[in-house]
Amino acid sequence: MSDDFIMMPIMFAKSFRPPNVPAWGQAHKDWMKMYTRFAQVGGPVHEIPSSECRVRVSGSVRDKHGVPVASLSGTTHPETVRTTKYMIERAKEWLAASGAESIYAGTPGLGLSAGQHQAGTCRMGLDPRDSVVDLRCRVHGHDNLFVADSSVHVTNGGFNPVLTIMALSFRTSEGIIGSW
């Protein structure tokens, strides 16, 4: 667990305003005065992969250039929600022990996950029936199509995946130039 997120005041107001504080007026201004005394405590939660989750190309929605956008479907796994609730309770205990005057948290639930460090949309594997890319991150059945991002590993676990993404990208680049 950590308090390692430093945010701008506008993001603080948008993301951390308790339900009993209005988004405008004197009560909001009074609440914002505590911005410099605020601590957000959280920790990484391993998001369990779910076979129902999909990223598809939308058949009806297009961006301003006329290109079809990504369409996300599915929901978080119940175990991810359970673990998140557990972590929230530990964070509350930590804050209470530190002398926090006011402690509040949202209630996690099942929902579409599309936050940071997404993974798993182009699973790496040996069998094209249950994976998108081979061990060189080349799309099965295509000699010149490679994927070099976090989508090739099934899950990020409980850690920031940046180094894994970099390692896979280096390995993929070796596959692209044919030296692997």
Side-chain angles (χ1 to χ4, degrees), residues 14 29 48 59 76 81 85 87 90 103 112 122 146-147:
K14 180 180 178 184
K29 290 179 182 180
I48 305 297
T76 50
V81 175
K85 288 179 180 177
M87 291 295 283
R90 300 302 71 76
I103 301 170
L112 183 63
C122 293
F146 292 81
V147 177

Side-chain angles (χ1 to χ4, degrees), residues 44-101:
V45 172
H46 174 100
E47 191 164 294
I48 305 297
S50 173
S51 61
E52 290 79 38
C53 293
R54 297 282 184 268
V55 177
R56 294 182 174 95
V57 176
S58 175
S60 59
V61 180
R62 297 180 177 270
D63 67 12
K64 67 180 182 178
H65 304 289
V67 177
V69 301
S71 175
L72 306 176
S73 63
T75 187
T76 50
H77 191 281
E79 182 60 20
T80 301
V81 175
R82 188 194 69 77
T83 304
T84 301
K85 288 179 180 177
Y86 174 85
M87 291 295 283
I88 287 171
E89 292 308 311
R90 300 302 71 76
K92 287 179 178 179
E93 290 171 3
W94 188 19
L95 288 166
S98 73
E101 295 175 12

Side-chain angles (χ1 to χ4, degrees), residues 139-155:
V139 175
H140 293 296
H142 298 275
D143 292 336
N144 62 348
L145 180 58
F146 292 81
V147 177
D149 63 18
S150 66
S151 64
V152 299
H153 49 100
V154 178
T155 180

